[in-house]
RNA sequence: UGCCCUGUAGCUCAAUUGGCAGAGCGCCAGUUUCUGGAUCUGGAGGUUCAAGGUUCGAUUCCUUGCGGGGCAACCA
């Protein structure tokens, strides 16, 4: 696969790399792209495809294409096919093409198992009652009266549901978790619903019940041996449920885990299926493959190549922040891709006739297809003959009766190059009764035909086509579909439609194009990249789609001169003022807080301790052994808690005595403050005494000579920085400390390092 | 009366896991040019959301506040 400009890193790559290094799945990486076949694929899918398949590729892993077809009412074969086409068009080959519906039988067996284990039950409440019972985001739910139904009864009902003996909505299967769970997804989520009369595009009427997303997704991942299950951000609240189901059916570690990233949004377009459908149904666009659509089909018909789409996905990057990517980035990726493969030819989209008065016989030029700075693709023709006769078409926009400042094109009395030809000077023009220019007159300087004679400097060059030889053509000039950067944030996104998103122009193209393959991509010089519309173009009626325009410095300059540049106003800074750390404490907690503060514990630390009984217990245990409550508070609240990470205090093997010993070692100078974290981590995980931990970790006090050696090494390795420091860049001192700490033995005391550094650098 | 995710340049993302705040795109200049493209060079642009705390040292750890997003479908 072609090399994309790859980002230095993204967090998903980091996670996978860490797992591979740790040998978590014996180094295996298995991804999957899991679309629901209920709509046409778009740029967002493209990024997901790039991410999943690309990541798998990078780590020598596999990636499946799995259709998440658990909802028979919205899904179809047609969509599934479009999705698979998109994957292959983007250049990826799935290790396997699979379907969630392949696993229905297995999922059913697991569901029975959950019922037997008392982890699931058939609920016979109405849909409304279930909704009611779920509570709200701020209030706990209530348990269903069917929650304790005997397993045999649930089993029997489920079997009947499966066979279609119960009408839609009469029963559901629910997991038995916790109706008061702060995460709504965990309040006895539904596993199966009845869709008795639905016709699934693959399983037909075999099933009368269908699994819900959560009860299907992780299981599919597990069956396929997926290692990293990547999905979009809104599923982060589903992750606990994903893991709960895997636990419930007994999938052991190492197993599949879910990670979330932010879906792609692009400036001036919409990406939701609903909105895209509205554009099609309201006739705003010509169809799902209209070149203005952000669909894969649209991009494809526009003439964009998969290389550009992949490049764009890579450039856009991956993170957990919802943002909106500049359209300029997409356009850049497209231009960058086409720049090296599109031959340059000439076409005039808005023609006006130019008569060269001193030319009678046409001149035939040998015009290069490629500019000097592009190396042509292998085997590509290098040039074509071009007839330049007395009359040619030029672009209406390239002639001005009264040229504005900075004009480099034609106007009365001025000179320009006719691209590949000679310099002409405008001698006059004709207009019709409305004042519109109908014809431009010029004389050629034939001496310039073979090159630029000494001392002649003509700034501009305009493109043209022979009026005698050119072929008529229709040009579809596409622009952004929406005139607003974020149409989906509007009350009605349809009000933001850009009326000029498609301009159809009738003009002329040079005859050489009729000899090219129909899917040839061109740059029409000074206009943009084009190709023939794959549906509507015919040899005797050429239709060209603009893939992307060229960057137009002149248009930008005139536009920005017109619109008065508005300066961003500085955001008003709201003074926050001093804060009471105890402000959000309850009455009781506040009392505890005050007592701690009086004893000398820092206020921030006291506030933390007041809300956490377990932590406060540990603190008291430490404080009773050292006579400095402030230090004990800092150690427990900051160092200990950080070292603890995600584990619980109860799981810590470190005692109050151990922590007190650590403080003692710091005080006596036997342990650097810098190494406290490592020692604590060791004590928490392994137990033992503080002294032993220092010993095993080798972070004991470091003698002066070793520090001096590290300092010298650090300074020697960064001579330029030393010079800058000596020249007055004081802030580099911290940099040297860091460099030295990295080289010195683990237990080195930064204060000692600084002392040596100061001496060496003075 | 909640829970989760998340705030770094105009935009999209980095920052060797606590040690000189960077890149691409965009923008502005200059270079080059028979494409106002491309190339090449340079530049501007930062209170790392804010205030406290821990630390020799904080974009990174802690606390609180503020902003953005998500969660109450028998959708995914």
């Amino acid at each position: 696969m072609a090399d994309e400009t790859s980002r230095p890193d993204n967090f998903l790559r980091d996670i996978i790399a860490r797992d591979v290094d740790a040998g978590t799945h014996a180094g295996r990486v298995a991804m999957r792209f899991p679309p629901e076949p209920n709509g046409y694929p778009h740029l967002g899918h493209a990024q997901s495809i790039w991410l999943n398949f690309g990541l798998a590729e990078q780590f020598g892993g596999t990636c499946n294409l799995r259709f998440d077809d658990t909802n028979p009412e919205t899904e179809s074969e047609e969509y599934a096919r479009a999705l698979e086409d998109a994957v292959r068009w983007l250049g990826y080959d799935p290790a396997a093409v699979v379907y969630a519906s392949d696993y229905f039988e297995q999922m059913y067996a697991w569901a029975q198992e959950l019922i037997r284990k008392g982890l699931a039950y058939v609920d016979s409440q109405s849909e409304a009652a279930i909704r009611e019972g779920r509570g709200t985001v701020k209030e706990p739910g209530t348990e269903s009266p069917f929650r304790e139904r005997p397993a045999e009864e649930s089993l029997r009902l489920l079997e009947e549901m499966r066979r279609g003996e119960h009408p839609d909505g009469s029963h559901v299967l629910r997991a038995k978790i916790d109706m008061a769970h702060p995460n709504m997804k965990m309040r006895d989520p539904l596993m199966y619903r009845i869709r008795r009369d639905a016709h699934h595009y693959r399983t037909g009427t075999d099933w009368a019940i269908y699994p819900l997303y959560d009860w299907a997704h992780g299981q599919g991942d597990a069956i396929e041996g997926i290692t990293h299950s990547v999905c979009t951000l809104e599923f982060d609240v589903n992750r606990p449920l994903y893991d709960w189901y895997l636990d419930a059916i007994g999938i052991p570690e190492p197993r599949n885990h879910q990670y979330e990233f932010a879906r792609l949004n692009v400036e001036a377009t919409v990406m939701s299926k609903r909105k895209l459908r509205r554009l099609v149904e309201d006739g705003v666009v010509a169809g799902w493959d209209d070149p203005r659509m952000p669909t894969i089909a649209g991009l494809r018909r526009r003439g964009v190549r998969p290389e550009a789409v992949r490049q764009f996905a890579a450039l856009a990057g991956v993170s957990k922040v919802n943002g909106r990517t500049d359209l300029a980035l997409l356009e850049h990726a497209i231009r960058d891709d086409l720049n090296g493969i599109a031959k340059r030819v000439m076409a005039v989209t808005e023609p006006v006739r130019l008569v060269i008065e001193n030319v009678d016989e046409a001149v035939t030029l040998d015009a290069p297809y490629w500019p000097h700075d592009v190396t042509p693709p292998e085997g590509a023709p290098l040039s074509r003959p071009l007839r330049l006769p007395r009359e040619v078409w030029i672009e209406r926009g390239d002639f001005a009766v009264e040229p504005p400042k900075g004009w480099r094109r034609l106007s009365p009395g001025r000179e320009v190059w006719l691209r590949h030809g000679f310099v002409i000077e405008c001698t006059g023009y004709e207009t019709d009764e409305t004042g519109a220019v109908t014809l431009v007159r010029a004389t050629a300087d034939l001496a310039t035909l073979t090159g630029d004679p000494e001392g002649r400097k003509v700034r501009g060059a305009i493109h043209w086509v022979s009026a005698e030889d050119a072929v008529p053509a229709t040009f579809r000039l596409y622009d952004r579909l929406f005139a607003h950067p974020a149409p989906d944030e509007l009350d009605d996104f349809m009000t933001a439609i850009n009326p000029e998103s498609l301009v159809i122009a009738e003009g002329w193209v040079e005859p050489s194009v009729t000899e090219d393959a129909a899917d040839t991509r061109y740059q029409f010089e000074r206009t943009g990249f084009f190709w023939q519309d794959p549906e509507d173009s015919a040899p005797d009626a050429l239709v060209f789609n603009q893939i992307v325009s060229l960057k137009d410095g002149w248009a930008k300059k005139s536009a920005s001169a017109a619109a008065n540049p508005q300066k961003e106003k500085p955001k008003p800074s709201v003074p926050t003022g001093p804060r009471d750390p105890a402000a959000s404490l309850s009455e009781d907690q506040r009392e505890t807080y005050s007592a701690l503060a009086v004893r000398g514990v820092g206020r921030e630390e006291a506030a933390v301790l007041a809300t956490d009984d377990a932590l406060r217990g540990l603190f008291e245990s430490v404080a009773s052994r050292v006579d400095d409550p402030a230090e004990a508070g800092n150690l427990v609240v900051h160092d200990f808690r950080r070292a603890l990470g995600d584990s619980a205090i109860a799981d810590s093997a470190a005692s109050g005595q151990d922590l007190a010993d650590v403080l003692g070692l710091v005080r006596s100078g036997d342990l650097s403050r810098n190494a406290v974290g490592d020692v604590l981590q060791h004590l928490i995980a392994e137990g033992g005494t503080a002294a032993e931990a220092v010993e095993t970790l080798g972070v004991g006090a470091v003698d002066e000579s070793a520090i001096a050696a590290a300092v010298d090494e650090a300074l020697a390795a960064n001579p330029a920085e030393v010079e800058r420091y000596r020249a007055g860049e004081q802030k580099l001192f911290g940099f040297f400390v860091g460099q030295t700490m990295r080289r010195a033995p683990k237990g080195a005391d930064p204060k000692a390092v600084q002392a040596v550094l100061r001496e060496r650098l003075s």
Side-chain angles (χ1 to χ4, degrees), chain A residues 143-162:
Chain A
E143 296 185 350
S144 164
F146 300 95
R147 200 168 196 260
E148 299 308 328
R149 167 130 74 188
E152 296 70 34
E153 193 180 324
S154 283
L155 249 9
R156 178 178 54 77
L157 281 167
L158 183 64
E159 191 60 36
E160 292 168 7
M161 286 159 63
R162 168 181 182 165

Side-chain angles (χ1 to χ4, degrees), chain A residues 459-643:
Chain A
R459 269 291 245 181
I462 63 173
H463 58 279
W464 53 275
V465 292
S466 159
E468 290 174 13
D469 310 280
V471 180
T474 300
F475 303 96
R476 294 177 177 167
L477 308 171
Y478 293 107
D479 197 355
R480 56 185 62 192
L481 225 200
F482 292 93
H484 189 278
D488 45 9
E489 285 172 9
L490 265 27
D491 289 339
D492 179 7
F493 73 103
M494 298 292 275
T495 58
I497 300 282
N498 174 11
E500 285 165 19
S501 63
L502 170 58
V503 173
I504 295 175
E506 300 290 342
W508 305 91
V509 62
E510 65 172 73
S512 73
V513 302
T514 58
E515 288 158 32
D516 293 321
D519 67 347
T520 304
R521 269 158 263 235
Y522 304 97
Q523 184 189 110
F524 291 161
E525 297 213 35
R526 304 207 308 131
T527 304
F529 293 95
F530 286 78
W531 81 330
Q532 287 186 48
D533 186 278
E535 301 287 329
D536 300 335
S537 190
D540 56 347
L542 296 173
V543 178
F544 288 95
N545 290 341
Q546 183 182 63
I547 305 168
V548 66
S549 66
L550 254 32
K551 284 177 71 173
D552 189 345
W554 171 250
K556 198 175 324 185
K557 202 172 291 181
S558 358
S560 63
N564 65 3
Q566 193 139 11
K567 269 276 180 240
E568 277 290 310
K569 48 187 161 239
K571 52 183 165 190
S573 67
V574 184
T576 320
R579 184 186 69 83
D580 176 11
S584 57
L585 264 35
S586 74
E587 202 65 26
D588 286 353
Q589 291 171 337
R590 197 179 301 250
E591 239 168 76
T592 313
Y593 163 82
S594 303
L596 288 166
V598 166
R599 286 161 64 191
V601 177
R603 303 193 333 145
E604 295 284 345
E605 291 72 27
V608 172
L609 291 173
T611 57
D612 188 332
D613 293 343
L615 200 65
R616 194 168 64 254
L618 185 65
F619 159 77
E620 293 296 358
S621 167
V622 178
S624 68
R625 291 174 169 86
V626 295
D627 56 6
D628 191 338
E631 234 180 289
N634 285 340
L635 185 80
V636 170
V637 170
H638 297 289
D639 304 276
F640 175 76
R641 217 153 38 125
R642 183 172 194 187

Side-chain angles (χ1 to χ4, degrees), chain A residues 6 77 100 114 141 154 216 302-303 329 353 412 422 445 486 513 517 571 597 634 717 745:
Chain A
S6 49
E77 185 66 44
L114 257 57
S154 283
R302 188 164 184 158
L329 198 64
R353 191 175 288 266
F422 37 57
D445 179 351
V513 302
K571 52 183 165 190
N634 285 340

Side-chain angles (χ1 to χ4, degrees), chain A residues 11-12 47-48 51 230-233 259-263 318-319:
Chain A
F11 73 101
L12 292 172
Q47 202 203 25
S48 181
L51 221 209
V230 172
C231 63
T232 45
L233 235 39
Y259 305 94
E260 309 87 21
F261 75 103
R263 77 168 66 250
V318 178
S319 74

Side-chain angles (χ1 to χ4, degrees), chain A residues 16-176:
Chain A
I16 297 174
R18 206 189 310 129
D19 284 343
V20 169
D21 289 347
T24 307
H25 301 270
R28 198 171 55 84
V29 173
M31 314 286 297
R32 104 266 92 110
F33 168 59
E36 184 190 14
N38 72 343
Y40 289 99
H42 50 63
L43 267 177
H45 290 97
Q47 202 203 25
S48 181
I49 292 169
W50 164 82
L51 221 209
N52 282 294
F53 283 91
L55 244 18
E57 208 165 67
Q58 265 178 52
F59 289 96
T62 59
C63 187
N64 291 347
L65 167 60
R66 180 170 77 237
F67 293 106
D68 212 342
D69 53 356
T70 55
N71 185 0
E73 293 174 315
T74 57
E75 296 154 3
S76 78
E77 185 66 44
E78 184 193 354
Y79 293 130
R81 197 176 309 279
L83 256 348
E84 184 171 348
D85 278 356
V87 169
R88 296 192 188 278
W89 179 72
L90 279 167
Y92 299 105
D93 191 19
V97 179
V98 291
Y99 300 79
S101 52
D102 292 343
Y103 313 136
F104 280 177
E105 202 65 58
Q106 172 68 263
M107 287 170 196
Y108 186 80
W110 274 328
Q112 290 175 314
E113 194 182 321
L114 257 57
I115 294 174
R116 285 189 214 103
K117 284 183 180 167
L119 294 176
Y121 61 97
V122 169
D123 193 349
S124 306
Q125 294 185 98
S126 70
E127 191 174 336
I130 290 175
R131 196 176 9 251
E132 182 80 9
R134 189 146 32 222
T136 70
V137 289
K138 297 186 177 182
E139 291 154 8
T142 52
E143 296 185 350
S144 164
F146 300 95
R147 200 168 196 260
E148 299 308 328
R149 167 130 74 188
E152 296 70 34
E153 193 180 324
S154 283
L155 249 9
R156 178 178 54 77
L157 281 167
L158 183 64
E159 191 60 36
E160 292 168 7
M161 286 159 63
R162 168 181 182 165
R163 288 204 301 263
E165 292 173 17
H166 296 282
D168 288 13
S170 55
H171 309 280
V172 291
L173 185 71
R174 299 180 74 175
K176 195 187 288 183

Side-chain angles (χ1 to χ4, degrees), chain A residues 696-719:
Chain A
T696 3
L697 293 171
V699 293
V702 174
D703 64 71
E704 188 115 356
S705 63
I707 288 178
V711 166
D712 290 337
E713 212 181 300
L715 293 182
N718 299 284

Side-chain angles (χ1 to χ4, degrees), chain A residues 250-377:
Chain A
I251 305 289
E253 295 278 9
R255 68 184 185 197
N256 44 309
H257 285 274
Q258 176 186 304
Y259 305 94
E260 309 87 21
F261 75 103
R263 77 168 66 250
L264 176 70
N265 293 305
V266 180
E267 186 188 5
T269 191
V270 294
M271 216 86 94
S272 85
K273 287 162 194 159
R274 214 195 86 246
K275 287 177 176 144
L276 292 175
R277 182 168 13 253
R278 173 104 188 267
L279 291 170
V280 173
E281 284 169 359
D282 286 15
V284 172
V285 295
W288 288 96
D289 67 345
D290 186 296
R292 289 165 292 179
M293 293 283 273
T295 51
I296 301 294
L299 258 7
R300 218 164 147 170
R301 181 153 180 191
R302 188 164 184 158
V304 174
R305 304 201 311 161
E307 289 86 343
V309 177
R310 276 189 260 124
Q311 168 85 327
F312 170 64
L315 252 21
V318 178
S319 74
K320 298 193 77 163
V321 192
N322 283 309
R324 185 172 302 278
T325 299
D326 265 0
L327 205 53
L329 198 64
L330 210 211
E331 296 188 341
H332 166 76
I334 299 172
R335 289 189 190 109
D336 196 46
D337 172 48
L338 260 18
N339 186 45
I341 62 113
K343 49 185 188 179
R344 273 60 168 174
V345 298
M346 294 195 286
V348 173
T349 61
E350 207 184 335
V352 68
R353 191 175 288 266
L354 172 76
V355 178
I356 310 160
E357 293 174 306
N358 58 338
V359 169
D360 295 318
E361 282 297 288
V363 188
T364 298
L365 312 161
D366 181 46
Y369 273 133
W370 308 94
H372 62 95
D373 49 20
V374 169
T375 42

